[in-house]
């Protein structure tokens, strides 16, 4: 029997690329994209789309029933830097949308749920180097607090009600197809645009701020892998650490200079520096490697090559 998928928040930074990836795998008609507003023309043209407000239970339930959905990928969220400006709304969006989907799964209306967590669940008291799967978690941002709470609820719904919910803690994600979406790690996307367009960049983080990052193709591969893994292989039902590459603004700038020698960078840290300082510098994802054979493919060099090549083409259009 074919799998019918609903993506909530399909027009966001991850959702837009995940939609196309899942349509490639399962077939265009099997993957229903949804968001509070319409997305890019190619996403809208490639398969079914529904306007769904993730905060409205009836809208989510109607979409699930109408399309006889088996699996939901809940990608709607307000990210770190944006959430700090509107904490109450961020909390409502990030938490209520999760409850809606978990409750539909509890009622047997959905068979499987994917919900993304984040390195934002960690805080200033967390060990920063090779942050372990199980460790101190005292997040200091609204986004981090909501993701940490969400992890506990996912674990609870699995333990109490048998809900098949799966999650990974995304690091900073880097992609050339979607513009930055308001996250603290977004400098690592913006820097490529500015390198090609202006040959210079002013970074809102200090030069030696190391953060865990990942090229989007790796994040999508991990998302598909955990959802396709047999249930017994998914041993952690809060959220898995996901490691990729770790680098500083100075290191990414140096790699860009190997392609664009005239590129220059300067630094003007703002409020996002405090957020970055509260997060890990690198991640230990041994549990994901062991349980469902996770392995990232891209390093800083190969990612920079792909980013500059593809952005040069898209910016010239």
């Amino acid at each position: 029997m074919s799998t019918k998928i609903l993506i909530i928040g399909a027009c966001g930074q991850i959702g837009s690329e995940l939609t196309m990836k899942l349509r490639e795998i399962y077939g265009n008609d099997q993957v229903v994209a949804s968001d509070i507003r319409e997305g890019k023309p190619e996403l809208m043209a490639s398969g079914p789309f529904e306007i769904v407000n993730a905060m409205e239970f009836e809208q989510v339930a109607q979409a699930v029933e109408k399309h006889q959905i088996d699996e939901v990928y809940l990608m709607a969220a307000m990210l770190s830097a944006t959430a700090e400006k509107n904490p109450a709304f961020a909390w409502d969006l990030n938490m209520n949308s999760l409850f809606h989907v978990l409750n539909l799964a509890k009622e047997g209306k959905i068979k499987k749920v994917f919900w993304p967590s984040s390195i934002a669940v960690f805080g200033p008291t967390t060990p920063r180097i090779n942050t372990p799967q199980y460790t101190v978690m005292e997040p200091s941002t609204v986004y981090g607090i909501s993701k940490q709470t969400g992890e506990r609820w996912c674990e609870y719904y699995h333990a109490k009600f048998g809900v098949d919910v799966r999650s990974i803690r995304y690091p900073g994600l880097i992609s050339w197809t979607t513009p930055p979406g308001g996250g603290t790690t977004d400098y690592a996307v913006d820097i490529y645009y500015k390198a090609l367009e202006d040959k210079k960049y002013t970074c809102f983080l200090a030069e030696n701020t190391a953060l865990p990052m990942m090229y989007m193709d790796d994040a999508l591969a991990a998302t598909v892998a955990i959802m396709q893994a047999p249930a017994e292989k998914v041993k952690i039902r809060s959220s898995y650490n996901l490691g990729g590459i770790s680098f500083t603004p100075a290191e990414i700038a140096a790699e860009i200079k190997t392609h664009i020698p005239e590129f220059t960078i300067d630094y003007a840290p703002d409020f996002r520096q405090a957020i970055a300082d509260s997060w890990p510098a690198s991640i230990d994802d041994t549990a994901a490697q062991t349980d469902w054979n996770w392995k990232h493919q891209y390093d800083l060099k190969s990612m920079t090559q792909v980013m500059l090549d593809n952005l040069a083409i898209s910016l010239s259009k």
Side-chain angles (χ1 to χ4, degrees):
M1 194 177 83
S2 55
T3 302
K4 203 75 190 278
I5 293 168
L6 173 67
I7 303 174
I8 300 172
C11 300
Q13 184 187 15
I14 306 170
S16 55
E17 296 196 48
L18 181 62
T19 299
M20 304 309 280
K21 177 79 172 175
L22 292 176
R23 284 178 172 168
E24 210 176 276
I25 295 167
Y26 294 98
N28 288 355
D29 294 339
Q30 297 302 111
V31 180
V32 181
S34 75
D35 212 310
I36 200 162
R37 62 184 64 84
E38 292 189 352
K40 293 188 210 170
E42 58 265 37
L43 183 142
M44 301 301 295
S46 66
F49 181 87
E50 296 280 348
I51 295 286
V52 172
N53 181 345
M55 296 171 73
E56 298 291 338
F57 178 78
E58 285 305 320
Q59 291 188 27
V60 178
Q62 282 169 10
V64 166
E65 187 176 353
K66 176 182 175 181
H67 295 279
Q68 298 183 302
I69 296 299
D70 301 302
E71 300 180 4
V72 170
Y73 291 69
L74 175 55
M75 310 309 290
M78 187 174 280
L79 298 183
S80 57
T82 315
E84 291 303 296
K85 295 171 184 171
N86 200 342
F89 181 76
W91 174 262
D92 287 346
L93 170 60
N94 294 357
M95 296 313 306
N96 290 341
S97 59
L98 176 59
F99 276 125
H100 297 337
V101 173
L102 289 176
N103 284 326
L104 285 167
K106 175 188 167 186
E107 292 165 14
K109 307 272 177 68
I110 304 166
K111 293 174 186 166
K112 201 185 289 185
V113 174
F114 177 81
W115 175 79
S117 190
S118 162
I119 58 168
V121 297
F122 303 118
T125 54
T126 302
R128 293 198 72 228
I129 308 299
N130 287 329
T131 300
Q133 175 68 44
Y134 300 106
T135 186
V136 178
M137 297 166 77
E138 295 183 321
S140 57
T141 63
V142 176
Y143 180 60
I145 292 165
S146 69
K147 287 298 185 184
Q148 156 72 306
T149 309
E151 287 191 14
R152 303 278 69 79
W153 281 115
C154 288
E155 197 172 53
Y156 181 86
Y157 270 72
H158 175 73
K160 295 285 183 183
F161 309 120
V163 170
D164 188 356
V165 57
R166 304 172 182 210
S167 178
I168 49 186
R169 293 170 183 152
Y170 288 130
L173 298 181
I174 298 170
S175 165
W176 59 270
T177 67
T178 48
T184 298
T185 54
D186 278 354
Y187 89 85
V189 179
D190 199 28
I191 192 171
Y192 289 111
Y193 282 87
K194 296 293 195 297
L196 286 164
E197 292 177 315
D198 304 332
K199 305 294 186 285
K200 62 176 192 276
Y201 180 64
T202 299
C203 186
F204 56 73
L205 297 180
E207 62 182 316
N208 293 320
T209 308
L211 286 169
M213 302 282 192
M214 181 171 284
Y215 185 54
M216 184 66 82
D217 284 14
D218 275 338
L220 298 179
T223 305
V224 171
I226 193 172
M227 284 296 275
Q228 291 185 342
E232 65 273 11
K233 295 277 190 188
V234 185
K235 297 181 169 70
I236 294 168
R237 296 297 182 147
S238 51
S239 194
Y240 277 91
N241 273 4
L242 197 67
I245 35 184
S246 253
F247 53 79
T248 66
E251 287 169 335
I252 192 173
E255 188 57 43
I256 289 170
K257 278 177 76 71
T258 66
H259 299 267
I260 306 170
E262 65 271 36
F263 175 69
T264 60
I265 186 169
D266 58 9
Y267 303 91
D270 65 12
F271 74 99
R272 289 166 285 196
Q273 184 66 46
I275 297 175
D277 288 343
S278 75
W279 288 353
S282 55
I283 298 284
D284 179 354
D285 62 2
T286 307
Q289 294 178 42
T290 303
D291 291 357
W292 39 277
N293 301 320
W294 159 246
K295 190 175 190 301
H296 74 273
Q297 300 297 317
Y298 287 84
D299 59 13
L300 178 57
K301 185 176 182 180
S302 57
M303 180 185 74
T304 296
Q305 182 80 59
V306 173
M307 285 291 291
L308 291 174
D309 287 352
N310 284 286
L311 275 179
I313 295 165
S314 66
L315 290 171
S316 67
K317 288 177 181 173

